[in-house]
């Protein structure tokens, strides 16, 4: 993946400072706190609007999927580490080989690292690169969904199960039939569960057409509809798809598909869906423009109408998030690269309050910090 131009980051960093000069301090805590100061805030401040909490400083974590299980917040992140693989546009430097699960009893409270929940060596079909996971719960079983390249270096999505939310999880013999690409996010809508997935560039979505792998990087022309995230309803056992994956169309306010050349708004990776007051919110990373954008629909399949940006670029190339409601408040989990001094493949998870506005929009979070 490419390194973002520093000038763009610096410009976004200046915006909150200009706002302060104009009398607004809404971004001040997010932009002025170093990682250590944020940890300090964790001890001293109540759950305020502008506080950014860190998940852990004990290991590198990224791509956080947060859920409330058994009254606690559980976080399912990627586990970054330095594998020595050089950086490239396909994300080879994200060479992760296991997952840890974290939990906390309260916002800003102590965080428990439950240790290795799933290891590459315990997935029979896996080759390399354990990327952004997610989890779901049904009956007395917890399901852990993870993308990893198979032994032919093609991303597939696997599922592993456990009797408790922290694992350890036991992986199935094979990936989910019909799954491909990466970044699974499983959304529960009443009795139904849907998996959203996909990502371009390193996520290989551009190498698939109609569920078939053709192996070539093929992108639509700039004026054509962008490559879409996929969605499939899950079977009752949550171990397979109940239907072939379909495209999730993202359109502008006029109903026109967001085009491949519209890098500020088009889908790149990191789909997440939550529901707020009956509306379905699809949020996703715009990749090379580094935003978390969002779009809304009246059903889980879409089309979703583009609404704006909910998280501006953070330190590091990638931007990846999840949204969860806990005890009445909404929380945005995300990562940046502040703990490693800006190294894109060594990230750390953070979280902060998220606000839905009365008109259905979401208040934009600006969490950029300098390393
Ligand atoms: O962590 C590896 C990849 O980086 C994820 O799968 C993407 O969403 C990006 O965050």
């Amino acid at each position: 993946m490419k390194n973002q131009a520093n000038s763009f980051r610096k410009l976004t960093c200046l915006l909150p400072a200009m706002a302060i000069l104009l009398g607004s301090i809404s971004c001040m805590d997010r932009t002025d706190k170093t990682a250590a100061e944020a940890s300090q805030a964790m001890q001293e401040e109540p759950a305020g609007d502008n506080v950014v909490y860190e998940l852990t400083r004990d290991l590198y974590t990224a791509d956080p999927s947060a859920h409330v299980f058994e009254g606690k917040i559980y976080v399912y992140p990627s586990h970054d580490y330095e594998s020595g693989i050089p950086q490239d546009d396909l994300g080879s430097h994200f060479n992760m080989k296991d997952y840890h699960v974290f939990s906390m009893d309260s916002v800003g409270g102590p965080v428990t690292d439950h240790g290795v929940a799933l290891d590459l060596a315990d997935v029979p079909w896996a080759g390399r690169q354990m990327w952004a996971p997610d989890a779901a719960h049904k009956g007395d079983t917890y399901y852990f969904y993870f993308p990893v390249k198979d032994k032919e270096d093609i991303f597939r999505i696997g599922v592993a199960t456990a009797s408790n939310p922290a694992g350890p999880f036991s992986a199935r013999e094979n990936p989910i039939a019909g799954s491909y690409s990466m970044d699974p996010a499983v959304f529960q809508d009443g009795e139904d569960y849907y998996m959203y997935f996909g990502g371009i560039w390193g996520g290989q979505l551009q190498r698939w057409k109609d569920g078939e792998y053709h192996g070539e990087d093929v992108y639509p022309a700039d004026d054509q509809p962008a490559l879409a995230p996929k969605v499939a309803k899950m079977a009752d056992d949550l171990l397979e798809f109940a239907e072939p994956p379909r495209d999730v169309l993202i359109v502008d306010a006029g109903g026109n598909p967001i085009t491949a050349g519209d890098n500020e708004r088009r889908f790149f990776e990191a789909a997440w869906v939550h529901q707020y007051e009956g509306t379905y919110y699809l949020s996703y990373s715009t990749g090379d423009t580094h935003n978390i954008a969002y779009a809304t629909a009246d059903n889980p399949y879409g089309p979703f109408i583009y609404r704006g940006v909910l998280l501006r670029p953070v330190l590091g190339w990638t931007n990846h998030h999840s949204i969860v409601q806990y005890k009445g408040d909404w929380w945005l989990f995300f990562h940046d690269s502040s703990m490693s001094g800006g190294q894109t493949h060594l990230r750390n998870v953070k979280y902060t309050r998220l606000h839905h506005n009365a008109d259905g929009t979401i208040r934009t979070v600006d969490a950029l910090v300098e390393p």
Side-chain angles (χ1 to χ4, degrees), residues 109-143:
V111 174
T112 302
D113 175 357
H114 296 275
V116 175
L118 185 67
D119 194 293
L120 188 74
D122 296 326
V123 181
W125 53 271
R128 62 176 182 143
Q129 294 179 336
M130 291 185 126
W131 284 13
D134 193 17
H137 174 226
K138 184 176 182 182
D140 54 10
T141 303
Y142 291 86
Y143 300 81

Side-chain angles (χ1 to χ4, degrees), residues 63 78 94 96 131-132 182-183 269-270 318 320 335 347:
D63 310 322
S78 301
F94 297 106
M96 296 84 99
W131 284 13
M182 46 82 144
D183 287 3
E269 62 188 7
T318 64
H320 190 124
H335 66 227
R347 300 161 291 180

Side-chain angles (χ1 to χ4, degrees), residues 164-195:
N164 77 80
F169 291 91
S170 177
R172 310 269 296 169
E173 280 295 308
N174 294 296
I176 295 173
S179 73
Y180 54 94
S181 196
M182 46 82 144
D183 287 3
V186 174
F187 166 69
Q188 182 181 355
D189 190 19
E191 299 290 302
D192 299 325
Y193 293 73
Y194 299 86
M195 181 184 288

Side-chain angles (χ1 to χ4, degrees), residues 50-102:
N50 297 316
V51 178
V52 176
Y53 300 93
E54 289 187 307
L55 185 67
T56 180
R57 294 185 74 77
D58 293 340
L59 67 171
Y60 292 113
T61 55
D63 310 322
S65 290
H67 292 275
V68 176
F69 293 140
E70 301 177 356
K72 300 182 187 182
I73 299 175
Y74 278 85
V75 185
Y76 300 85
S78 301
H79 175 196
D80 287 354
Y81 81 111
E82 181 54 80
S83 72
I85 305 280
Q87 181 164 327
D88 63 23
D89 281 359
L90 293 178
S92 303
H93 44 308
F94 297 106
N95 192 31
M96 296 84 99
K97 54 183 174 47
D98 63 20
Y99 296 102
H100 285 229
V101 175
F102 298 82

Side-chain angles (χ1 to χ4, degrees), residues 274-277 323-332 352-356:
H274 74 283
Q275 199 178 18
Y276 177 75
E277 294 192 346
I323 294 167
V324 68
Q325 188 177 29
Y326 184 64
K327 295 187 175 169
D329 292 323
W330 289 88
W331 296 92
L332 172 69
T352 192
R353 280 276 282 277
L354 187 77
H355 293 272
H356 295 85

